Amino acid sequence: MKIGIHSIEYYLPEHILENMTLAALYPEWTAEKILSKTGIRSRHIASESECVSDITEKAAKKLFSAHNIDSSDIDFLILITENPDYILPPTSCILQDRLGLSVKSGAIDVNLGCSGFVYGLKLAKALIASGESKNLLLLTGDMYSKRINPMDKSTRTLFGDAATASLITTGEDVSEIRSFDIGTNGGGYNHLIIPSGGIRLSKNSETGIVKTEEDGSMRSMDDIYMNGPEIMLFSIEMVPQNVANVLRLHNLTLGDIDWFVFHQANQYILNYLRKKIKIPEEKFIIEMEDVGNTVSSTIPLALKRSYEHGSRFKKGDKIMLVGFGVGLSWGATIIEFGGKL
């Protein structure tokens, strides 16, 4: 029996932040310049009262309703997020109760971002293959907007908030999850980081001091810091290797893959990688113009929205999924489309 993705649903917060609004804050940038640099026209932003548990709960209930899934049949929940409601307890435990899952179900948080969905698929497949789970709920949800300084144009123009819910199970019509190539280089951990707020550096009056960077962006140690050039160098070095490794693992060539869904970092990086790897443009999915970079949710969101926009996938299509970023970490796999999402 195949182990794979049965279905995916998502939730996008109601508030939409347009480029025109951001351009008014950053006089040297226009709405068109932001679009040309990032490939993003707008992004959804969580309300002040919304937490990750709220948006992932909505995505999961949408999944249950749309696909006639009984919550009592879920025996394991994995939540991929870097923005938990609390330092403790795990947000997945809160969701177990809110979603009405059995008290016999497992629930864990995985603190991972851009590669998180691929890692989540690997964990889910392993749990099901080992017999420890039958129906696993894989949730992704991030709210970088709550940790970005409003005047940090380098990050605020990129990131949007979103949540997704996927049912991973067995069956003949699931999108089968194949083998994985994953890796980690923790030596680059400080290239995408919130320096304060953990045990190593607690928030205090000094960490909250906002400083102006050379490019005019403003942030404190309580805010997200991204070293864009280093993240770019990491991506162009590791992603082509990751793609080559997963092809070799499956004894396939680039031409055997019908679709490529990479982490939707930004349009510039995606197009650079596509050309470097020599992926045909018509096979390469970019689905971020009105949602931005939604971190752990980018791959499942791109999969579902591509399916909704005309169902371009055909049963049996091989779809390569590639995640890369914060950590630094990366991961790729191939799924064989089962006919529906």
Side-chain angles (χ1 to χ4, degrees):
M1 192 71 75
K2 299 175 183 176
I3 300 172
I5 303 170
H6 174 277
S7 45
I8 301 173
E9 294 297 338
Y10 60 87
Y11 172 76
L12 298 169
E14 291 182 8
H15 177 65
I16 297 174
L17 179 60
E18 305 272 1
N19 285 351
M20 289 178 62
T21 303
L22 293 174
L25 296 174
Y26 318 132
E28 68 277 24
W29 283 11
T30 63
E32 292 73 22
K33 184 177 181 180
I34 296 171
L35 177 61
S36 66
K37 285 174 68 71
T38 64
I40 301 163
R41 191 181 302 276
S42 62
R43 67 286 295 143
H44 291 254
I45 302 297
S47 70
E48 193 171 321
S49 62
E50 281 183 309
C51 293
V52 160
S53 64
D54 301 315
I55 64 173
T56 50
E57 177 187 2
K58 289 175 180 176
K61 287 182 175 178
K62 184 178 175 183
L63 179 80
F64 295 165
S65 176
H67 301 277
N68 196 28
I69 297 166
D70 189 334
S71 63
S72 65
D73 290 335
I74 302 296
D75 52 30
F76 213 99
L77 185 160
I78 297 176
L79 170 64
I80 312 291
T81 186
E82 293 180 305
N83 309 118
D85 287 19
Y86 305 100
I87 292 177
L88 59 91
T91 305
S92 56
C93 293
I94 298 169
L95 286 162
Q96 173 274 330
D97 178 61
R98 285 197 199 171
L99 295 173
L101 307 190
S102 168
V103 294
K104 294 183 178 180
S105 61
I108 59 171
D109 287 14
V110 175
N111 181 8
L112 205 56
C114 316
S115 60
F117 183 70
V118 176
Y119 274 68
L121 290 180
K122 184 176 177 67
L123 292 172
K125 182 179 179 181
L127 283 165
I128 294 172
S130 68
E132 296 299 323
S133 175
K134 290 183 179 179
N135 299 300
L136 188 145
L137 180 62
L138 176 59
L139 303 178
T140 65
D142 279 296
M143 291 181 172
Y144 270 27
S145 68
K146 292 183 181 291
R147 303 307 298 269
I148 292 173
N149 188 291
M151 294 308 295
D152 185 355
K153 62 186 178 184
S154 65
T155 54
R156 199 175 181 204
T157 53
L158 285 177
F159 293 105
D161 302 334
T164 73
S166 306
L167 175 63
I168 315 300
T169 187
T170 57
E172 288 304 319
D173 60 347
V174 298
S175 294
E176 185 178 12
I177 304 165
R178 309 290 282 277
S179 299
F180 294 81
D181 179 72
I182 65 170
T184 309
N185 179 7
Y189 78 93
N190 58 338
H191 294 318
L192 186 48
I193 187 172
I194 300 174
S196 63
I199 299 300
R200 183 162 299 280
L201 180 61
S202 299
K203 281 188 176 184
N204 57 56
S205 58
E206 291 187 4
T207 64
I209 296 173
V210 176
K211 297 180 180 179
T212 302
E213 306 298 324
E214 289 183 7
D215 66 352
S217 294
M218 300 172 67
R219 72 179 72 88
S220 74
M221 297 184 77
D222 298 341
D223 303 318
I224 287 174
Y225 163 73
M226 182 174 69
N227 186 332
E230 287 294 336
I231 294 294
M232 178 70 178
L233 286 173
F234 154 73
S235 301
I236 62 178
E237 177 184 355
M238 291 311 308
V239 173
Q241 293 181 39
N242 196 200
V243 169
N245 289 344
V246 84
L247 287 172
R248 192 178 306 114
L249 191 62
H250 293 87
N251 196 28
L252 296 172
T253 67
L254 204 64
D256 293 323
I257 306 300
D258 299 289
W259 302 99
F260 296 82
V261 181
F262 284 20
H263 164 57
Q264 307 286 288
N266 67 65
Q267 185 172 264
Y268 179 80
I269 289 179
L270 290 175
N271 281 328
Y272 189 100
L273 290 170
R274 179 184 63 77
K275 292 172 185 176
K276 183 178 177 67
I277 300 169
K278 296 181 171 57
I279 298 172
E281 188 172 3
E282 64 272 13
K283 290 185 174 185
F284 195 74
I285 291 175
I286 298 181
E287 183 65 62
M288 63 185 302
E289 184 174 323
D290 61 344
V291 293
N293 179 339
T294 56
V295 196
S296 60
S297 294
T298 66
I299 292 175
L301 192 56
L303 277 170
K304 181 65 178 186
R305 281 161 63 91
S306 294
Y307 175 70
E308 289 176 336
H309 297 168
S311 189
R312 65 174 103 179
F313 307 135
K314 302 188 304 296
K315 188 168 185 177
D317 277 359
K318 295 179 178 64
I319 308 171
M320 183 182 288
L321 312 180
V322 184
F324 54 94
V326 61
L328 300 170
S329 63
W330 59 92
T333 189
I334 293 169
I335 62 172
E336 187 170 318
F337 184 58
K340 61 181 179 64
L341 283 175

